[in-house]
Amino acid sequence: MIRATSRKTVVLTAILGLLGAAFLFVAMRSGPLAPVPVVVAEVKDMAVRPSLFGIGTVEARFTHAIGPTAAGRVRILSVHVGDRVEAGQVLGEMDPVDLDERLAAQNAALDRAAAAVRAADAQVAELRARATYARSQAGRFESLAESGAVSRDSLEARRQEFAVAESGLAAALASAESARHEHERLRSEGEGIARQRDTVRLVSPASGLVTRRLADPGTTVVAGQAVLEVIDPDSLWVNARFDQLRAAGLGAGLPARLVLRSRAGEVLPGRVLRVEPVADSVTEELLAKVVFEHLPDPLPPVGELVEVTVDLPALPPAPTIPGSSVQRDGQTLGVWLAENGEIRFAPVELGPGDLDGMVQVRSGLRSGQQVVSHSKSPLTARSSIRIVDRIEGGAK
Amino acid sequence: MISLAGRDILHSWGKFVFTGMGLGLLIGVTLSMAGIYRGLVEDATMLLDNSRADLWVVQQDTLGPYAESSTIPDDVYRSILAMEGVTKASNVTYLTMQVRHDGGDVRAMVVGVVPGGPGEPGQPTFLTAGRHITRGHYEAVADVKTGFRLGQEIRIRRNVFTVVGLTRRAVSSGGDPMVFIPLKDAQEAQFLKDNDAIVRSRRRTAENPAFNRPVPGLLDAVIASQSANANVNAVLVRLAPGRPPGDVAADIRRWTRLEVYTRTQMEEILVQKLVATSARQIGMFLVILSVVSAAIVAFIIYTLTLGKIREIAVLKLIGTRNRTIAAMILQQAMGLGLIGFVVGKIAATLWAPIFPKYVLLLPGDAARGFAAVMVICALASVMAIRAALKVDPAEAIGG
């Protein structure tokens, strides 16, 4: 009987003891008494290579918008989007309206003017002959009058004839000059109309690729409106934008890595050609032009999105920590130092960091110290910690 | 001195322990219900803790950005930053949506934050793995509750983001896990129309003779202006130490003509307006469960006492005092309550993480629960004691 009772006591005590132990375990593993699992990282002296990340679009460096200089109707377009064209090639023509007729009229007028010049020249020749004859007659009568063979009256008549012939010649010369000027004027006008006729032809100013055909034959376009757009495909570059907050150090000549939206796995080498002198104040971005080291084949479409990573020169080694360890206590930036299983908040002054989240520390830490990089819950000065390799629910 | 209660318990220990455990599971459910209520309120305030702001600047006459939608221009923060007492002002967007990933989608609150240094307003407060957002585009920090892994690619509207960091307990007031992405991408996700809508809008615009006039570039400019949207949901403001939030809020309200909420007002909006009905619902369950628990405890103790009524009659017959019998029943009731509470606390702690929504078990709640269980057990034993004391000793020898 006694044995049965004592066995019952033992079993009951064991059950109650187990319950008590489980309760204690639960109380210590949850709630404010439970230690916070943390992952620590060592402060290491290392060189950080900052990079800048931006996005941009593929653009052509030279884009020629070809259109008429005067309002008119498109008559012919002989190229389509995607066609390769040569410099000087006629790509299409605007409707010349009455230009051809005006040119024909001008040519006719020019012929008429040329005939007028010839008539004037003939008249000059005739009057010149008359004047020569009148001069010789007047000379002859001079000598005859000296010898008294002819009357003074006849001499005066010959002199008057000579003066009239001279004047007639002068007038004919002037007429011929005038006819020649008229001819010249008409010729210039004709050339002007011919040049105007040339401008209705849409001529490519450079060799390239037709990228847009903005109007079709029959469409009326205004002066300056583009009908065709031709780009130089060999001059593709990336118009990239970088957040101003993180764009310190961006400059021409820096190496860049370009990833086209359509070729996500492929990294193309590039180079910053220039940083634009004017930034976008609305989007708070710096603008830069980045060129491909080798143009990709096939060529990317103009307007395709590109991710641009610009590598800045590596910084000299300094104590470096993961950016995830940096916390803010009120207005102070700092890290939780893990020392002998306890934690202490240490204010730090941060330097530059890289795109992998490593940040250099200017002051507040020395290499070899352990900082809390990840924690399962927010830490306070009174938190107790348990160092683990990785926190449950998230990979290290 | 022999403990009468102890001897009796020892006599039928199995019954006692199993009854205690059954009671414990009921108490565990009650404690969990209290935890669910606390979790609901905690989820609402967690959103405020995570945003690390002293003031929230939102659209005029709205309760935004959590309780009501709010849209303000994204350059307002500059004028706020210029105000006295303001040290930080950051744009932020919030959008609850389905985030797609390989093989499914997750409902999450996508938060667009200005990529800045650690501890900036809006940024996650701490990470459990990975790193913060360093690139201005296409990177995300997700809450572990989303189930995302580091390096996983997720799709938010038209862009693919790489998960670079994980955080914990970053949830919306509804308990949806948060996914932090760069502000510019979030603006695009929230305000930019989908491709089909853009194409239709372009066609509509092109067909409108008012916009499609033979003026070079006019149509393109109109379409570009239709496709762009420079809005955010709120501006998070952090104040200089010692600045009264009310004063700065009044200044901002006066000069920017926008609504400003302080932390206290935000808590009021979130707790009293947003989760109030759900909390009351759970509170009602809690009260009902407590009453049911009390009734069951009373019933169990009464049944246990009635079960040994003959033994009590014998005790009375041999001259045991009423106080001793009452103490025995009271001690047993308290013991039952103690076992029940311990089992309940263990059970609640073990099953709390399995719940889909956050269950917050506060030590204070546990202490209050313990006191309540003890009081209920003491009160429940009164009926049993009354029954025991009324027993006629003659019953011990009666048939």
Side-chain angles (χ1 to χ4, degrees), chain A residues 29-323:
Chain A
R29 302 298 288 185
S30 70
L33 295 173
V36 180
V38 296
V39 177
V40 293
E42 194 181 329
V43 183
K44 283 181 189 159
D45 260 337
M46 58 185 272
V48 161
R49 193 180 171 89
S51 304
L52 308 174
F53 180 80
I55 56 171
T57 44
V58 176
E59 287 179 6
R61 192 171 183 175
F62 302 110
T63 305
H64 309 279
I66 301 163
T69 52
R73 186 177 291 120
V74 181
R75 194 167 74 90
I76 304 168
L77 280 183
S78 52
V79 288
H80 289 276
V81 170
D83 288 354
R84 287 257 178 186
V85 295
E86 297 301 322
Q89 184 181 333
V90 177
L91 311 179
E93 196 174 293
M94 301 295 294
D95 188 354
V97 195
D98 60 346
L99 274 180
D100 287 337
E101 288 72 16
R102 277 168 62 196
L103 197 60
Q106 201 68 25
N107 285 338
L110 197 62
D111 290 347
R112 201 179 113 206
V117 168
R118 283 197 301 278
D121 283 346
Q123 202 172 4
V124 166
E126 183 198 336
L127 286 170
R128 182 164 285 131
R130 278 174 195 260
T132 311
Y133 175 72
R135 189 191 300 124
S136 64
Q137 279 290 82
R140 200 156 56 86
F141 271 71
E142 287 269 346
S143 50
L144 287 173
E146 274 172 22
S147 60
V150 290
S151 66
R152 188 99 196 142
D153 204 27
S154 298
L155 175 66
E156 287 301 320
R158 292 295 174 273
R159 276 184 179 161
Q160 192 256 347
E161 274 174 12
F162 174 57
V164 167
E166 286 263 279
S167 305
L169 177 62
L173 278 172
S175 291
E177 186 69 19
S178 163
R180 217 166 272 119
H181 282 311
E182 179 64 13
H183 179 258
E184 201 62 29
R185 183 184 73 80
L186 285 171
R187 196 162 58 84
S188 296
E189 258 185 25
E191 278 172 8
I193 292 170
R195 184 115 0 124
Q196 211 173 329
R197 179 70 182 78
D198 283 343
T199 61
V200 300
R201 290 194 184 92
L202 303 173
V203 179
S204 177
S207 300
L209 188 73
V210 179
T211 51
R212 294 174 89 184
R213 188 172 139 136
L214 298 156
D216 285 316
T219 313
T220 307
V221 291
V222 297
Q225 190 176 343
V227 174
L228 291 166
E229 201 176 81
V230 173
I231 63 156
D232 179 0
D234 298 332
S235 70
L236 289 184
W237 64 12
V238 177
N239 185 17
R241 300 175 283 123
F242 295 88
D243 197 339
Q244 287 177 12
L245 273 175
R246 298 161 167 255
L250 183 65
L254 288 169
R257 282 170 280 145
L258 305 167
V259 177
L260 289 162
R261 185 77 154 174
S262 58
R263 299 173 219 178
E266 196 181 338
V267 179
L268 305 164
R271 178 171 46 84
V272 179
L273 183 74
R274 67 163 189 255
V275 179
E276 295 291 330
V278 179
D280 192 325
S281 62
V282 176
T283 61
E284 297 181 23
E285 286 170 319
L286 292 189
L287 307 172
K289 297 285 187 285
V290 183
V291 289
F292 293 95
E293 288 292 353
H294 315 286
L295 274 177
D297 185 36
L299 284 176
V302 173
E304 182 173 355
L305 214 62
V306 186
E307 292 176 15
V308 183
T309 310
V310 175
D311 296 317
L312 298 179
L315 298 167
T320 305
I321 54 169

Side-chain angles (χ1 to χ4, degrees), chain B residues 158-235:
Chain B
R158 68 178 62 194
N159 289 323
V160 176
F161 293 79
T162 308
V163 178
V164 296
L166 295 173
T167 182
R168 199 168 163 273
R169 294 288 303 126
V171 290
S172 72
S173 57
D176 296 323
M178 285 180 173
V179 176
F180 298 86
I181 61 171
L183 181 76
K184 287 193 175 73
D185 294 339
Q187 278 178 294
E188 202 176 273
Q190 186 168 4
F191 298 113
L192 191 64
K193 289 178 275 190
D194 59 274
N195 284 0
D196 286 347
I198 290 172
V199 169
R200 275 196 291 270
S201 161
R202 270 185 202 156
R203 194 178 302 143
R204 263 198 302 276
T205 310
E207 283 168 6
N208 187 341
F211 298 128
N212 197 0
R213 280 188 282 181
V215 177
L218 174 68
L219 184 63
D220 291 341
V222 171
I223 287 170
S225 78
Q226 284 174 345
S227 311
N229 196 328
N231 285 327
V232 292
N233 294 132
V235 176

